[in-house]
């Protein structure tokens, strides 16, 4: 009998990126002392990847229940060896990381039908256990989405990320002229004429000090980890969170965003990145954009003007820098083309690297298999020499 449940989750509107589940393997069956019969082993609990499943669907299908596998059958005269209990399978999306309550990774689901054992069934009663069965393993597990989108929009509050997302995709995020419009990830799809789709996530606005969990802190940076590449969005006129915080130019904004990512995780900072310079419809935007381009192309000429704590170890190298206006639509088509080009190029490189690795492994295995008989012959001949 399978029960499914005790589900806690982190939720952003209709978006769920983490589920906490209770799992328990089935208890073993009773042994048969008089005839030495063994009880059946309890069923196991598995997490299994399914392409069309989402964490929201999983939560909706099994609200407030537990995942418990079936009990092993008792030993009896007609069947001294009890049958195994029924396994319980938890359907989960591809791209999931499974961890225990302490954050230790149990495994990952990277392709359809990948399986991870999360709770083992108890042994059936036998001579060593005085014919008494053992209980199944109890475990609380977390299912975490490793990748939520192809592209993550990174920027300080009010950089125009929400407006940009609505312009390049079919998403309808809240848009307003104040900081922190986005308090939860908004997902949108860029649709191309050849039916290619690219998923874009507008992530909650980053602020200075996020790496030490200021503002939405680690929650934001955790989402950044789950995107293939980053799209920095900065206001060409600069940024000021409030009247009590310092004004930052567009160049300072880029430095600070890079620094926050770097302090959180060097691997996040090393992701492929593009830069969209927004609000080009504002007065004097062209002059400010040229100034920013000069600073980005020659960063070392300007870094001495800033506090050392603002300066990242390595400045961000953008694959494309595109001036845009999310209001008028200026540069939007070019931005969409650059996003696709960048993703395609990196996918090609990853495929090439994968094939090269497979070829190398094949060559190594062939070399080993050809050399093994030779080494045996060498041993034989050396023995013959000593005889």
């Amino acid at each position: 009998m399978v029960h499914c449940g005790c589900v806690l989750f982190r939720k952003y509107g209709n978006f769920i990126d983490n589920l906490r589940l209770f799992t328990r393997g089935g208890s073993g069956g009773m042994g048969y002392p008089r005839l030495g019969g063994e009880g059946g082993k309890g069923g196991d609990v598995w997490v299994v990847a399914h392409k069309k499943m989402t964490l929201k669907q999983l939560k909706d299908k099994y609200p407030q229940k537990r995942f418990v596998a079936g009990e092993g059958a008792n030993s009896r005269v007609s069947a001294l060896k009890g049958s195994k209990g029924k396994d319980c399978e938890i359907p989960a999306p591809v791209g999931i990381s499974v961890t225990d309550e302490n954050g230790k990774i149990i495994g990952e689901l990277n392709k359809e039908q990948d399986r991870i054992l999360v709770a083992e069934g108890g042994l059936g009663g036998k001579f060593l256990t005085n014919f008494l069965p053992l209980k199944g393993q109890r475990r609380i597990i977390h299912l975490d989405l490793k990748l939520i989108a192809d592209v993550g929009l990174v920027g300080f509050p009010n950089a125009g990320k929400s407006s940009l997302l609505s312009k390049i995709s079919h998403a309808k995020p809240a848009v307003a002229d104040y900081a922190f419009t986005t308090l939860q990830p908004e997902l949108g799809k860029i649709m191309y004429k050849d039916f290619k789709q690219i998923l874009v996530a507008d992530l909650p606005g980053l602020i200075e000090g996020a790496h030490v969990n200021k503002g939405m802190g680690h929650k934001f940076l955790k989402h950044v980890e789950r995107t293939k590449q980053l799209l920095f969005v900065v206001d060409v006129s600069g940024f000021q969170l409030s009247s009590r915080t310092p004004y930052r130019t567009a160049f300072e904004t880029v430095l600070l965003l890079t620094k926050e990512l770097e302090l959180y995780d060097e691997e996040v900072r090393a992701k492929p990145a593009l830069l969209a310079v927004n609000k080009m419809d504002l007065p004097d935007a062209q002059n400010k954009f040229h100034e920013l381009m000069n600073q980005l192309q020659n960063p070392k000429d300007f870094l001495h003007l800033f506090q050392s704590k603002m300066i990242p170890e390595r400045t961000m190298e953008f694959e494309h820098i595109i001036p845009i206006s999310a209001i008028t639509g200026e540069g939007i088509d070019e931005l969409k083309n650059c996003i696709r080009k960048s993703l395609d190029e990196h996918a090609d490189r990853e495929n090439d690297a994968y094939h090269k690795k497979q070829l190398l492994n094949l060559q190594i295995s062939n070399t080993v298999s050809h050399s093994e008989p030779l080494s045996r012959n060498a041993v034989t001949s050396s023995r013959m020499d000593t005889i």
Side-chain angles (χ1 to χ4, degrees):
M1 184 174 172
V2 179
H3 308 280
C4 297
C6 191
V7 182
L8 300 174
F9 56 95
R10 239 188 343 264
K11 178 178 174 182
Y12 308 100
N14 286 327
F15 179 84
I16 297 173
D17 73 329
N18 174 283
L19 277 176
R20 180 176 180 269
L21 309 174
F22 173 84
T23 65
R24 191 178 77 217
S27 297
M30 289 287 293
Y32 201 118
R34 192 158 57 88
L35 298 176
E38 286 187 16
K41 180 181 178 292
D44 303 317
V45 182
W46 298 81
V47 181
V48 184
H50 293 272
K51 265 186 181 173
K52 294 186 178 178
M53 177 59 67
T54 67
L55 288 181
K56 185 174 188 306
Q57 287 171 333
L58 176 58
K59 173 254 163 185
D60 289 343
K61 192 173 181 181
Y62 304 111
Q64 303 302 312
K65 295 180 183 177
R66 309 183 293 171
F67 291 86
V68 180
E71 295 181 354
N74 294 336
S75 172
R76 57 188 188 278
V77 174
S78 58
L80 287 177
K81 175 68 177 172
S83 57
K84 184 178 185 288
K86 186 177 179 183
D87 287 352
C88 172
E89 293 192 355
I90 305 171
V94 174
I96 285 287
S97 175
V98 183
T99 56
D100 65 14
E101 191 74 319
N102 299 316
K104 183 181 177 184
I105 293 179
I106 302 168
E108 295 182 342
L109 303 176
N110 295 314
K111 60 183 187 299
E112 190 161 23
Q113 293 306 313
D114 273 0
R115 302 166 64 83
I116 299 170
L117 177 64
V118 292
E120 203 167 350
L123 294 174
K126 58 175 96 174
F127 180 76
L128 290 174
T129 65
N130 204 22
F131 297 98
L132 295 173
L134 301 181
K135 289 184 178 179
Q137 181 182 12
R138 301 166 72 98
R139 206 178 207 181
I140 288 173
I141 63 169
H142 292 263
L143 306 186
D144 269 295
L145 263 180
K146 292 192 297 173
L147 184 71
I148 61 170
D150 299 301
V151 181
L153 303 185
V154 177
F156 286 138
N158 209 30
K161 301 193 309 301
S162 297
S163 299
L164 176 59
L165 184 68
S166 63
K167 201 76 176 177
I168 63 176
S169 73
H170 296 282
K172 292 184 170 56
V175 177
D177 191 23
Y178 53 86
F180 298 111
T181 307
T182 305
L183 298 176
Q184 59 196 35
E186 291 277 1
L187 298 178
K189 276 181 185 172
I190 305 177
M191 313 284 282
Y192 294 88
K193 288 179 181 176
D194 62 353
F195 305 108
K196 167 87 172 178
Q197 297 181 10
I198 289 176
L199 197 59
V200 182
D202 175 19
L203 307 171
L206 192 59
I207 64 169
E208 292 179 49
H211 69 281
V212 291
N213 219 12
K214 283 188 184 175
M216 306 200 76
H218 279 200
K219 192 178 285 186
F220 167 88
L221 291 161
K222 185 179 176 187
H223 291 308
V224 174
E225 276 186 299
R226 297 172 180 168
T227 58
K228 291 179 185 173
Q229 72 176 30
L230 309 177
L231 174 58
F232 281 54
V233 184
V234 302
D235 185 333
V236 71
S237 302
F239 168 72
Q240 187 172 20
L241 182 62
S242 72
S243 57
R244 289 172 301 198
T245 58
Y247 163 78
R248 304 296 191 190
T249 65
F251 182 57
E252 285 177 289
T253 302
V254 172
L255 289 179
L256 284 166
L257 288 170
T258 307
K259 186 71 173 176
E260 286 300 330
L261 296 181
E262 183 180 271
L263 288 169
Y264 175 69
D265 188 341
E266 180 61 31
E267 282 187 26
V268 170
R269 196 214 62 78
K271 282 179 182 284
L274 289 76
L275 172 62
V277 184
N278 195 17
K279 305 190 182 179
M280 289 300 293
D281 53 292
L282 296 177
D284 205 29
Q286 284 296 338
N287 290 335
K288 287 176 179 173
F289 178 72
H290 290 310
E291 183 184 345
L292 172 61
M293 287 299 293
N294 184 35
Q295 291 168 320
L296 290 171
Q297 286 162 0
N298 308 285
K300 289 180 180 175
D301 295 347
F302 301 93
L303 293 180
H304 68 278
L305 301 172
F306 307 110
Q307 294 175 298
S308 58
K309 66 178 182 181
M310 285 177 58
I311 302 171
E313 292 291 322
R314 288 175 55 204
T315 51
M316 188 67 79
E317 292 181 14
F318 296 104
E319 297 187 0
H320 302 279
I321 299 174
I322 309 101
I324 64 163
S325 169
I327 301 299
T328 67
E330 177 192 342
I332 296 299
D333 286 340
E334 185 189 351
L335 176 61
K336 288 202 249 189
N337 291 334
C338 288
I339 289 171
R340 177 166 182 174
K341 184 181 176 186
S342 179
L343 282 169
D344 287 347
E345 284 173 355
H346 282 277
D348 289 342
R349 271 181 235 152
E350 283 179 3
N351 285 337
D352 288 345
Y354 174 76
H355 290 310
K356 282 177 185 174
K357 186 178 177 184
Q358 292 291 90
L359 187 61
L360 183 62
N361 289 341
L362 189 62
Q363 288 169 343
I364 291 170
S365 65
N366 286 340
T367 305
V368 170
S369 61
H370 285 307
S371 65
E372 277 179 352
L374 290 173
S375 61
R376 278 198 291 270
N377 290 340
V379 171
T380 306
S381 61
S382 65
R383 281 177 181 163
M384 289 174 69
D385 291 339
T386 58
I387 291 172

